[in-house]
Amino acid sequence: MEPQAQTTESPMRRTVEAAVMIALGTAFVVASILCQKDSLFGKNANDRIEAVGIIIAAALTLIMYSFLYRDNPLFKIAENVYIGAQLGYGAINTWRLALRPQIYNPLALAPSNQALWDALVFRSVPILLGVLLLTRLSRKHGWLSRYSYSMMVGWGAGMTILVMTDTNILQQLQAAAKPIQAGVTADAGWWANAGAVTGALTVLVGTVCVLFYFFFSIPHGPVGQRVSKTGIWFLMLSFGASFGYTAMARISLVIGRMRFLLFEWLKIPQ
Amino acid sequence: MAFTETNTTTPRRRPVMRRARAWGFAAAGVMLLIAGAPSRGQQAESLPASAPAAAPASAPASAPVPLEIPAPESVKAYDCPSDDGSAIIVEWAKPKIETPGAVYVVDVAAAKEDFAAGAFKTVQVKPGPEALKSANQKFFGVSPANAGLYYARICPSSLYPPVPAGESRTESLTRHAKAGHLSAEELQRALAASDADAKWLARLMADLTERDTTDAKARTRRINAATYYLRLSVSPDGGRARAYVSDKDGQPLVLSAAALPNQFKWYKLNIAIFSVAFCAVVAAFIWIARRNPNLYIRRIAGLDAVDEGIGRATEMGRPVYFVHGIAGVESMATMASLTILGRVARKAAEYDTRVRVMNWDPMVTAVSQEVVQQAYTEAGRPDAYNPDDVLFISTDNFAYATAVSGLVVRERPAAIFMLGTFFAESLFLAETGASTGAIQISGTDSYSQLPFLITTCDYTLIGEELFAASAYLSREPKMLGSLRGQDVGKAFLMVTIVVITAVLSVAAARGVSLDWLTNLFKTF
Amino acid sequence: MWYKRTIPLILVFAIGVAAFVQEFVPAPWAGRFRENITLWFQIIGSFALFIGLYSLLHMHWTRIRRQTPGWAYSIFVFLAAGGMIAVGLYNEGKGPIIDVAQGTRTWLDRGYDYLIKPCTATIYSSMAFFMASAAFRTFRARNTAAVLMLVAALVVMFGRVPVSEVLGGWLGDPEMFSRITDVLMKYPNLAAKRAIMMGISLGAIAQSLRILLGVERSYMGGGD
């Protein structure tokens, strides 16, 4: 793939884009005021806040879509607001869901000496490990953080062995362990029977060929290459089918955003 | 065998008794129950055959109840296998012919004498397919014999609950003070709590309730672990009249058992065997590889392209981007990517090319900093390492994708590595990268995202190839040995699938059932 | 040095074996062990947030300080993060310690609904457009595998829209395309998916074992 040349922007193009942006911005403000005027200039303070919120949300929606055309200053602002807001929201959630109930409440708000002692005994090790994790911020003492994350790595490794054997090996083997036979119902026609047998054979052959494709330590001879190639075809058919299946689901999400813009921002009666 | 009968409205049917001696008992003495007369909150009480005097005069003593009673030798009581010690199992053979509407009743008592005193609890079991042991393969396995055995699951702690009687706050506080959970001053403060102390008192009571819950769990375990005595009977009328399974002397057969915590989930035995066997094979090949380091490994294009990508970035004077997936350090896909990161960072450091690492997880950020710092040290340029190049972006998938994409279009990296577990955001990241003309090498264990990465990236490590990366890139014999172990595992799976399908097909054609074979892979 | 690398590696092995073994033990001690270790990880993980906060904010602060091109945009990260944290701590006047009554619409909720949610939903929905360009990219690659993939994708896409029944009707069977879709999903797709999942699990298990045995230790940095 050849690298694309760094986009050089002509002054003309920049002027046109700036003009379009100003026009769109003005149109957005006018449309927002016209469509949300009842709430914006109403007496209910809550409605006013929600109306401003909807206008901001609509602006962010349109700005985010503008990235499909190209990067632009408004997108850069929206992107940084998005990251910042998400960071702040995540910090507050960590405080509310982890730090406060697990550290602050048991230690700072212990109702009795015994409760404080129990909390200290149980929580001192993880708190120490948490503090050790912060040593990562230092170049010299960063190795101390290994004590903290090595526990998680170990736990993950142990659980992976178990979970993978259960869900992806045994359950798949159980699903694969089926006889290849004609239609189960006695009155199934010749075509249905042939279809059932062919289908089951296809799954069997496909599974074996794709598994073969993943062999690393055996040189693929002429036969092996053929099997491996068949495996690739199965892979591609599968990826294509999966692609098509997901594509249709994503279209409904676009419709969802359009509904927000039309019915909540522009308040078009449904 | 003893049986009882009290209900004169029960339609008379031809009795179906399995053993002739039952007739003898039936004719000799009918056990009569006082229908609907509960004793100490219990259900109906039965009287032993040897005490006919206790039978009410109204009950006819002539006709036997047409009930099939399980054979006494089939009745067993034992600790429920593979459980945490919360249940006792009583099992008995399913009679050949069952009386419609009849139920099985198990009497549970803490002491043998409690039966005579009527101080026992009852558990009813409605006969039916779901009451058979075969309906609960998780605990009883897949033995064909289970289809002929009924069972009752007795939870002693639900029959004898550990909850203390209603206690006032003062009583509770005093009890906890005695147990050392409160000091004398704290007790005084709690007893004299004013409105100003209401919040503190609420926290204190919450703490004490939590202690009570923990205590209750311990008491529950003690209650379950005690020995209980059990009797089995059949009732034609929902538990009032009973025909007891009796011993040789004609007395109701009394069994005993305790619910004890077990140390192994037998229903996970196949998982244990498969995982240990596979680990043993991989470990064996790691060991063998130390002696025989010349192992063949096929080309993996995506991994060969690692050096190409970094070389290209060096030529163009642009950075290399390493984009981690959406998973923490406990994910093996993340661990595999970290190994590749080590290799990428070291090469980049050698070529004096800037490598920027994008992180979704703060913990992975910490480990990535460690890996990159180490790579720069190994390359002999520890001072060139800049921690700001290993940056945490966001823990939200789409915020992460948005920010990384923004950086990609602005900094235009020459090579982008996208490795790890990805979700819907993968396409956004990969398409943006592709639109800038960067060489993209991706790898994921997320099956659903592979189609998108394949279409948009120059090289994609499909599933297992991602995990092979560390061995492939390092070329260490021990690592390569583990790859050979993986291949043996794959060969085993291939052969297993083919052989089992063939065997099952032949069996199906001959009308033979081989359920035991498929049950080998059944998991719970 | 042994305390820099050996002890963490021993810790990895010990915790890994414990994680594996406890899953097979039904006795209550295993459950308590699992609950406690989960709680420990939650506490340790919450400290990791500080690393994240530091990493992101330090990077943006450096950009502002050095006035690198586009530095002004970094101010918005601080504004948005600061704003969200401020309203979260203010918590409708109740402060960070006490929760507001259930069902109260807080400023933090509004921040989420009007700043985060629209961005997330829009980026997610924009995948539909990216899919179109990805499909086009595949179309340009002229090899058998790519063609096979594209044809399968188009057939499945077509099979899932109502217009396929009209075309199918003209060809004699209105359900023709949905049938082909079913066949593709049920047989070749299942075969490949099954093999990929099996391969992934074998790879992940081998990776886990390499980590537990300390054969793979690059994540641990240097220092032994």
Side-chain angles (χ1 to χ4, degrees):
Chain A
M1 189 189 290
E2 277 302 307
Q4 283 185 359
Q6 199 70 283
T7 44
T8 47
E9 295 177 348
S10 67
M12 181 68 183
R13 183 173 170 175
R14 287 186 74 160
T15 315
V16 171
E17 279 182 354
V20 169
M21 200 180 268
I22 290 166
L24 286 175
T26 314
F28 177 82
V29 172
V30 172
S32 298
I33 291 172
L34 285 177
C35 298
Q36 297 283 338
K37 63 176 185 298
D38 294 345
S39 309
L40 271 180
F41 305 113
K43 286 183 179 165
N44 190 330
N46 230 14
D47 283 356
R48 284 202 295 271
I49 295 167
E50 300 296 326
V52 170
I54 288 174
I55 293 171
I56 293 172
L60 286 172
T61 302
L62 294 171
I63 293 169
M64 284 287 165
Y65 275 138
S66 74
F67 185 69
L68 292 171
Y69 171 63
R70 61 179 286 188
D71 194 23
N72 60 73
L74 285 177
F75 175 76
K76 288 179 195 169
I77 293 174
E79 172 206 318
N80 285 296
V81 166
Y82 185 19
I83 297 296
Q86 188 64 50
L87 186 75
Y89 189 72
I92 290 293
N93 266 346
T94 305
W95 162 252
R96 284 191 184 165
L97 303 174
L99 288 171
R100 192 176 74 186
Q102 303 304 348
I103 298 175
Y104 180 81
N105 285 354
L107 297 180
L109 298 180
S112 62
N113 288 333
Q114 186 63 38
L116 177 65
W117 175 248
D118 289 352
L120 266 177
V121 167
F122 181 68
R123 289 176 164 79
S124 54
V125 176
I127 290 173
L128 177 72
L129 288 169
V131 173
L132 285 184
L133 191 68
L134 300 182
T135 60
R136 192 54 260 163
L137 300 173
S138 137
R139 279 192 189 210
K140 206 175 167 192
H141 304 291
W143 61 270
L144 279 164
S145 62
R146 291 173 197 169
Y147 282 83
S148 313
Y149 67 72
S150 62
M151 289 182 67
M152 290 187 175
V153 171
W155 187 266
M159 290 302 282
T160 299
I161 295 177
L162 194 111
V163 173
M164 288 291 171
T165 310
D166 181 351
T167 55
N168 284 345
I169 295 185
L170 288 174
Q171 286 184 24
Q172 290 293 341
L173 272 179
Q174 200 198 359
K178 288 206 172 78
I180 295 176
Q181 58 182 345
V184 183
T185 49
D187 58 345
W190 189 89
W191 279 109
N193 283 336
V197 171
T198 316
L201 272 173
T202 309
V203 175
L204 181 70
V205 171
T207 309
V208 169
C209 290
V210 177
L211 271 176
F212 188 83
Y213 166 78
F214 285 115
F215 268 115
F216 298 114
S217 63
I218 298 168
H220 292 182
V223 180
Q225 273 177 354
R226 200 158 289 180
V227 174
S228 183
K229 191 97 183 161
T230 315
I232 292 174
W233 286 351
F234 268 95
L235 281 175
M236 289 301 152
L237 271 178
S238 167
F239 291 151
S242 187
F243 188 108
Y245 204 79
T246 320
M248 297 314 291
R250 298 286 183 270
I251 302 230
S252 61
L253 296 170
V254 182
I255 295 169
R257 278 335 276 163
M258 291 305 142
R259 287 180 67 86
F260 165 75
L261 289 176
L262 294 176
F263 304 131
E264 288 189 47
W265 173 51
L266 293 176
K267 298 232 168 169
I268 291 171
Q270 291 193 50
Chain B
M1 194 171 291
F3 63 93
T4 60
E5 190 255 81
T6 50
N7 195 344
T8 50
T9 59
T10 306
R12 292 191 176 196
R13 292 188 206 99
R14 187 181 164 78
V16 272
M17 309 292 276
R18 268 205 308 192
R19 289 164 196 277
R21 73 183 165 96
W23 284 103
F25 285 116
V30 176
M31 245 186 356
L32 297 175
L33 270 181
I34 304 163
S39 165
R40 290 167 71 170
Q42 307 303 316
Q43 298 204 359
E45 185 185 344
S46 67
L47 294 171
S50 56
S58 60
S62 56
V65 176
L67 283 177
E68 181 76 8
I69 296 171
E73 60 271 18
S74 77
V75 185
K76 290 184 187 111
Y78 50 88
D79 168 37
C80 178
S82 307
D83 82 338
D84 57 354
S86 58
I88 293 169
I89 300 294
V90 178
E91 71 167 47
W92 60 94
K94 176 178 181 273
K96 279 180 185 151
I97 299 166
E98 290 174 299
T99 311
V103 293
Y104 295 96
V105 183
V106 180
D107 297 342
V108 186
K112 250 183 183 174
E113 304 77 53
D114 288 354
F115 287 125
F120 58 87
K121 316 273 179 177
T122 56
V123 174
Q124 282 196 11
V125 176
K126 267 191 185 167
E130 66 284 355
L132 289 168
K133 279 178 78 180
S134 54
N136 192 342
Q137 294 186 341
K138 181 174 175 181
F139 290 108
F140 302 124
V142 293
S143 164
N146 286 350
L149 293 168
Y150 280 131
Y151 78 98
R153 193 167 186 275
I154 315 284
C155 299
S157 61
S158 55
L159 297 174
Y160 298 90
V163 185
E167 197 180 32
S168 71
R169 181 195 285 176
T170 311
E171 285 167 343
S172 169
L173 287 166
T174 318
R175 179 166 57 80
H176 280 288
K178 271 185 194 160
H181 301 149
L182 288 176
S183 66
E185 299 84 59
E186 284 162 350
L187 176 66
Q188 286 308 315
R189 185 182 163 192
L191 291 175
S194 59
D195 285 349
D197 257 355
K199 283 181 183 169
W200 170 77
L201 191 63
R203 289 205 305 275
L204 181 72
M205 292 315 292
D207 177 61
L208 298 182
T209 309
E210 202 180 314
R211 284 172 196 279
D212 282 340
T213 311
T214 312
D215 284 352
K217 280 183 188 165
R219 281 207 300 279
T220 301
R221 282 197 294 278
R222 281 199 295 275
I223 288 169
N224 285 334
T227 300
Y228 291 88
Y229 297 89
L230 308 122
R231 302 190 302 193
L232 177 67
S233 60
V234 192
S235 168
D237 56 2
R240 282 175 297 176
R242 313 263 201 88
Y244 277 88
V245 173
S246 52
D247 58 17
K248 282 178 202 161
D249 307 327
Q251 296 295 323
L253 180 70
V254 178
L255 301 160
S256 67
L260 299 167
N262 292 284
Q263 300 302 327
F264 190 74
K265 293 175 184 170
W266 286 100
Y267 54 87
K268 288 199 171 185
L269 181 66
N270 54 354
I271 300 177
I273 291 173
F274 269 82
S275 44
V276 170
F278 185 67
C279 287
V281 169
V282 174
F285 276 98
I286 290 175
W287 188 72
I288 291 168
R290 287 159 62 170
R291 297 175 164 195
N292 175 26
N294 299 319
L295 274 176
Y296 165 85
I297 295 293
R298 80 158 159 92
R299 237 186 112 236
I300 301 176
L303 294 172
D304 287 342
V306 169
D307 291 352
E308 182 194 335
I310 300 165
R312 190 165 172 271
T314 311
E315 281 170 21
M316 297 171 74
R318 290 203 208 151
V320 169
Y321 268 34
F322 192 97
V323 182
H324 272 297
I326 310 294
V329 285
E330 67 287 347
S331 153
M332 288 305 109
T334 306
M335 296 311 291
S337 338
L338 282 165
T339 310
I340 304 175
L341 170 64
R343 167 84 173 194
V344 169
R346 182 161 177 182
K347 279 274 169 200
E350 283 169 5
Y351 294 163
D352 197 15
T353 297
R354 188 181 183 199
V355 57
R356 302 198 79 187
V357 187
M358 311 291 151
N359 292 281
W360 170 86
D361 180 81
M363 190 77 84
V364 178
T365 313
V367 185
S368 296
Q369 286 175 345
E370 173 97 61
V371 169
V372 175
Q373 187 181 359
Q374 173 66 13
Y376 273 83
T377 309
E378 282 173 5
R381 307 183 64 239
D383 295 336
Y385 164 66
N386 176 9
D388 271 357
D389 278 343
V390 182
L391 51 119
F392 166 76
I393 303 277
S394 176
T395 49
D396 176 87
N397 303 15
F398 293 109
Y400 178 61
T402 311
V404 173
S405 300
L407 284 169
V408 165
V409 292
R410 278 159 231 150
E411 294 194 353
R412 296 188 165 265
I416 301 172
F417 294 87
M418 275 179 61
L419 301 163
T421 304
F422 286 97
F423 298 95
E425 73 293 332
S426 72
L427 183 62
F428 191 94
L429 290 164
E431 263 299 301
T432 313
S435 69
T436 63
I439 184 167
Q440 295 203 101
I441 299 164
S442 62
T444 187
D445 62 341
S446 321
Y447 169 78
S448 58
Q449 300 310 314
L450 278 167
F452 308 121
L453 295 178
I454 295 242
T455 46
T456 44
C457 297
D458 301 278
Y459 300 97
T460 302
L461 300 171
I462 302 170
E464 197 183 352
E465 290 176 336
L466 173 66
F467 297 109
S470 55
Y472 189 86
L473 292 173
S474 71
R475 295 275 159 182
E476 266 183 51
K478 282 191 282 185
M479 297 275 221
L480 295 177
S482 74
L483 280 193
R484 175 62 69 86
Q486 268 170 254
D487 280 356
V488 171
K490 273 194 291 275
F492 169 77
L493 291 180
M494 278 165 67
V495 172
T496 308
I497 290 176
V498 172
V499 170
I500 287 185
T501 308
V503 170
L504 288 176
S505 303
V506 172
R510 296 188 171 194
V512 181
S513 170
L514 289 179
D515 283 347
W516 63 269
L517 196 60
T518 44
N519 282 334
L520 289 177
F521 310 120
K522 197 164 187 172
T523 60
F524 297 96
Chain C
M1 277 173 277
W2 58 271
Y3 56 84
K4 282 191 178 177
R5 213 165 171 185
T6 311
I7 291 189
L9 283 173
I10 292 171
L11 212 55
V12 169
F13 180 77
I15 295 278
V17 172
F20 182 76
V21 170
Q22 60 85 27
E23 272 293 309
F24 292 102
V25 180
W29 68 260
R32 284 200 298 277
F33 174 70
R34 191 164 47 241
E35 277 169 25
N36 290 346
I37 210 100
T38 312
L39 190 68
W40 276 32
F41 287 166
Q42 200 187 355
I43 294 174
I44 299 171
S46 57
F47 276 88
L49 178 86
F50 292 107
I51 296 201
L53 269 173
Y54 177 83
S55 169
L56 186 69
L57 296 181
H58 185 259
M59 194 263 288
H60 282 285
W61 176 243
T62 313
R63 281 177 65 177
I64 294 171
R65 204 159 42 94
R66 294 189 185 155
Q67 303 213 337
T68 50
W71 64 271
Y73 296 110
S74 292
I75 294 172
F76 289 97
V77 173
F78 285 92
L79 285 179
M84 287 299 261
I85 291 174
V87 297
L89 295 179
Y90 171 70
N91 199 21
E92 315 311 287
K94 295 219 176 235
I97 311 299
I98 302 164
D99 281 328
V100 291
Q102 199 95 41
T104 312
R105 185 160 170 76
T106 63
W107 278 97
L108 192 73
D109 294 335
R110 290 196 182 101
Y112 181 79
D113 283 351
Y114 297 131
L115 292 179
I116 298 173
K117 219 166 122 184
C119 293
T120 302
T122 309
I123 295 295
Y124 197 6
S125 72
S126 65
M127 300 302 163
F129 303 102
F130 283 118
M131 274 189 181
S133 60
F136 181 69
R137 209 179 294 282
T138 317
F139 191 62
R140 286 191 307 181
R142 290 191 180 82
N143 62 55
T144 324
V147 169
L148 213 55
M149 183 172 170
L150 193 71
V151 169
L154 289 176
V155 166
V156 172
M157 261 191 251
F158 194 61
R160 294 189 73 203
V161 289
V163 74
S164 69
E165 291 179 14
V166 180
L167 186 67
W170 290 344
L171 296 171
D173 179 6
E175 289 183 7
M176 177 196 268
F177 288 98
S178 61
R179 259 191 250 272
I180 298 174
T181 300
D182 284 348
V183 166
L184 272 176
M185 297 303 289
K186 217 168 144 186
Y187 303 119
N189 183 51
L190 175 68
K193 189 175 177 181
R194 182 170 287 160
I196 290 176
M197 297 315 282
M198 283 177 166
I200 286 174
S201 50
L202 291 178
I205 293 171
Q207 172 91 18
S208 304
L209 195 70
R210 289 196 294 261
I211 286 172
L212 289 182
L213 297 179
V215 174
E216 176 139 5
R217 52 173 82 173
S218 53
Y219 65 94
M220 204 63 98
D224 54 354

